[in-house]
Amino acid sequence: MKALQYIWMCICILPFLAGCDTKQDWIDTGIASPYHDCSIMEYLRRDKYNWELTVEMIERADLTDLFEGNDPDYKEITFFAPPSYSVLRYLWDDNKEAVNELTPEFCREMILNHVVKGKILKSDIAYRNPDYSITDSNQDGGTDLMCLGGNRLKIYVDKSPYAGVPDAGPETLYLYSFSVRNHVPLATPDIQPLNGVVHALNYNYILGKI
C-alpha cells in the first residue's frame, strides 16, 4: 500500500529531521532556475516523492483543470502546496490508508483553501512591521489574501539578524491563517510553472491548519 511506503520513507528520514532546525529559510542563490515549462499539475506529477498524495487529492477533488490552466476563470493561480507528508499525516490521524478514502468534497475544500487567484511572487509580498505581531490591529505590513476556499490569509516576510547585525540574516516567508489562527512557514517559494506559482509548505505543516 502507498501509505506503508510513505511510513518507511518517514522512518528513514526521522534521524535527519531530528537533528535539523525546523525553521526553514529561503535564500535566493541564483543557481537553480525556478521556471518549469509545464503546467502546475504536470510539475507536481513529475515529483512523486514530494507531491504524489497532493496530486491524488487534486484529482479526487476534480480540480485537475484548475491546476492545468484550463479553467477560463483562473488562467493563473498561486498554490501554497501541502507536501505528501502533510497528507499522509492527516490520513494516519484519521485512521485512513489512502486518499480515495477521503470524500471528494473534503479534498476540494482542502485544496481550494490553499489556492489564490493570480500569480503572487515573494517580491509581491510585504514585510511584517516588526513593532507589532501579525494579528495586532496596528500591523500595517504583510499582504492580505483570500483563497478560493473562502479562507483569509496574510502572507509576510520576516527579517532576521546575522552576526549581531539587525536584518542582515536570512528572510523567512510565513502564512498566517485567520481561520485557524496558525502561522505556517514556507519551505520553497517561487516555483514557477506556466500557469502560476507554487510556494511549497514545509514538512511540518498539518493539513487543514490554514
Side-chain angles (χ1 to χ4, degrees), residues 99-136:
V99 168
N100 62 16
E101 295 180 55
L102 302 172
T103 67
E105 293 77 16
F106 172 83
C107 292
R108 186 178 184 87
E109 178 185 358
M110 284 296 102
I111 294 299
L112 292 181
N113 281 350
H114 295 77
V115 178
V116 175
K117 183 176 183 178
K119 186 175 181 178
I120 301 167
L121 301 172
K122 68 188 180 199
S123 59
D124 301 318
I125 298 163
Y127 289 90
R128 179 179 68 89
N129 186 333
D131 294 332
Y132 305 101
S133 70
I134 201 65
T135 57
D136 194 298

Side-chain angles (χ1 to χ4, degrees), residues 35-165:
Y35 303 105
H36 298 267
D37 190 22
C38 61
S39 69
I40 292 176
M41 195 66 181
E42 183 62 26
Y43 162 75
L44 297 173
R45 283 173 171 157
R46 289 177 181 177
D47 185 355
K48 289 189 175 183
Y49 181 82
N50 285 304
W51 308 116
E52 183 174 11
L53 298 185
T54 312
V55 166
E56 288 183 15
M57 284 195 72
I58 293 170
E59 293 172 341
R60 181 99 173 125
D62 195 25
L63 291 171
T64 300
D65 280 350
L66 176 67
F67 283 82
E68 288 182 342
N70 294 328
D71 188 322
D73 294 324
Y74 301 99
K75 299 307 292 183
E76 288 190 325
I77 60 172
T78 298
F79 184 37
F80 298 104
S84 282
Y85 286 113
S86 294
V87 179
L88 178 62
R89 190 160 50 244
Y90 182 87
L91 293 174
W92 287 351
D93 292 343
D94 204 32
N95 295 315
K96 291 181 171 58
E97 294 187 350
V99 168
N100 62 16
E101 295 180 55
L102 302 172
T103 67
E105 293 77 16
F106 172 83
C107 292
R108 186 178 184 87
E109 178 185 358
M110 284 296 102
I111 294 299
L112 292 181
N113 281 350
H114 295 77
V115 178
V116 175
K117 183 176 183 178
K119 186 175 181 178
I120 301 167
L121 301 172
K122 68 188 180 199
S123 59
D124 301 318
I125 298 163
Y127 289 90
R128 179 179 68 89
N129 186 333
D131 294 332
Y132 305 101
S133 70
I134 201 65
T135 57
D136 194 298
S137 59
N138 294 311
Q139 177 59 250
D140 54 359
T143 301
D144 289 309
L145 303 173
M146 185 65 72
C147 294
L148 300 190
N151 51 319
R152 179 184 165 214
L153 305 175
K154 186 183 281 286
I155 189 168
Y156 62 97
V157 182
D158 261 351
K159 296 181 178 181
S160 63
Y162 178 75
V165 180

